[in-house]
């Protein structure tokens, strides 16, 4: 499990997963499974954004201005007061664009939940992921390149531990069918680490 997913799962362990299960109409085990698939997928989508200079700048500014990690301060309240799905939907629109339905179908097949439940998980998880990444950006003083390296390193972990997630994202993002959406991110990350 990549560090960002692990951090979020740990924070939700004290009752948050049961709350998520209630929102989804399922048990906390299935909720945990869905979330632990959704988070690395969102992180990988953000890594794809961060690997393109123009989109990386936009992502960096969004983190700087709107996502300082305060959403993580009271997760129980966030989950109880009907999470801001509008914000989650907006983040997913930037990160996944038109690929979102394909991602939901792929994650539904992987987790055993239906596409509507997966849509809810993604919308709940997206602001939390941005909060986690924003917190890291702040605490580690990351610039846009450092942010790309952070996200890319999480993708590398996911590639080793759960390549199916990257397969779902790659299929959904690969609109030109050249099979390179995630490969480009991995190549970009490799170059960043070679420079160090």
């Amino acid at each position: 499990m990549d560090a960002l997913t692990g951090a979020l799962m740990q924070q939700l362990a004290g009752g948050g997963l049961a709350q998520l299960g209630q929102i989804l109409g399922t048990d906390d085990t299935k909720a945990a499974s869905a979330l632990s698939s959704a988070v690395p997928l969102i992180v990988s989508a953000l890594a794809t954004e961060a690997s393109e200079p123009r989109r990386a700048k936009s992502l960096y500014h969004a983190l700087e201005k709107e996502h300082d990690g305060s959403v993580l301060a009271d997760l129980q309240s966030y989950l109880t007061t009907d999470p801001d799905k509008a914000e989650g939907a907006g983040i997913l629109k930037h990160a996944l664009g038109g690929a979102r339905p394909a991602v939901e179908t792929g994650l539904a097949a992987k987790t055993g939940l239906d596409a509507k439940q997966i849509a809810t998980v993604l919308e709940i998880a997206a602001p939390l992921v941005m909060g986690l990444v924003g917190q890291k950006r702040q605490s580690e003083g990351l610039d846009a390149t450092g942010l790309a390296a952070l996200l890319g390193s999480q993708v590398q972990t996911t590639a080793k531990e759960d390549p199916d997630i990257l397969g779902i994202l790659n299929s959904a993002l690969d609109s030109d069918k050249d099979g390179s959406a995630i490969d480009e991110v991995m190549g970009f990350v490799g170059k960043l680490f070679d420079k160090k």
Side-chain angles (χ1 to χ4, degrees), residues 63 67-72 125-136:
L63 289 166
H67 302 281
D68 58 2
S70 55
V71 69
L72 303 164
L128 298 177
V129 170
M130 289 292 280
L132 279 168
V133 176
Q135 220 173 41
K136 279 272 196 191

Side-chain angles (χ1 to χ4, degrees), residues 136-161:
K136 279 272 196 191
R137 182 203 68 79
Q138 231 174 8
S139 66
E140 297 180 18
L142 299 175
D143 61 7
T145 304
L147 180 64
L150 166 72
L151 293 168
S153 69
Q154 307 303 297
V155 175
Q156 289 180 324
T157 303
T158 302
K160 286 182 197 148
E161 295 180 0

Side-chain angles (χ1 to χ4, degrees), residues 12 15-20 23 74-83 124 128:
L12 286 167
L17 292 173
Q19 277 181 279
L20 181 60
I23 292 166
D74 190 357
L75 285 172
Q76 298 232 321
S77 172
Y78 172 75
L79 291 170
T80 306
T81 56
D82 191 25
I124 289 171
L128 298 177

Side-chain angles (χ1 to χ4, degrees), residues 59-113:
L59 174 62
Y60 186 84
H61 288 310
L63 289 166
E64 195 174 33
K65 290 178 182 170
E66 299 162 32
H67 302 281
D68 58 2
S70 55
V71 69
L72 303 164
D74 190 357
L75 285 172
Q76 298 232 321
S77 172
Y78 172 75
L79 291 170
T80 306
T81 56
D82 191 25
D84 187 354
K85 292 185 179 180
E87 186 189 6
I91 293 166
L92 294 170
K93 186 175 181 182
H94 283 288
L96 298 174
R100 183 176 167 183
V103 163
E104 289 170 358
T105 302
L107 277 182
K110 177 177 169 53
T111 61
L113 297 180

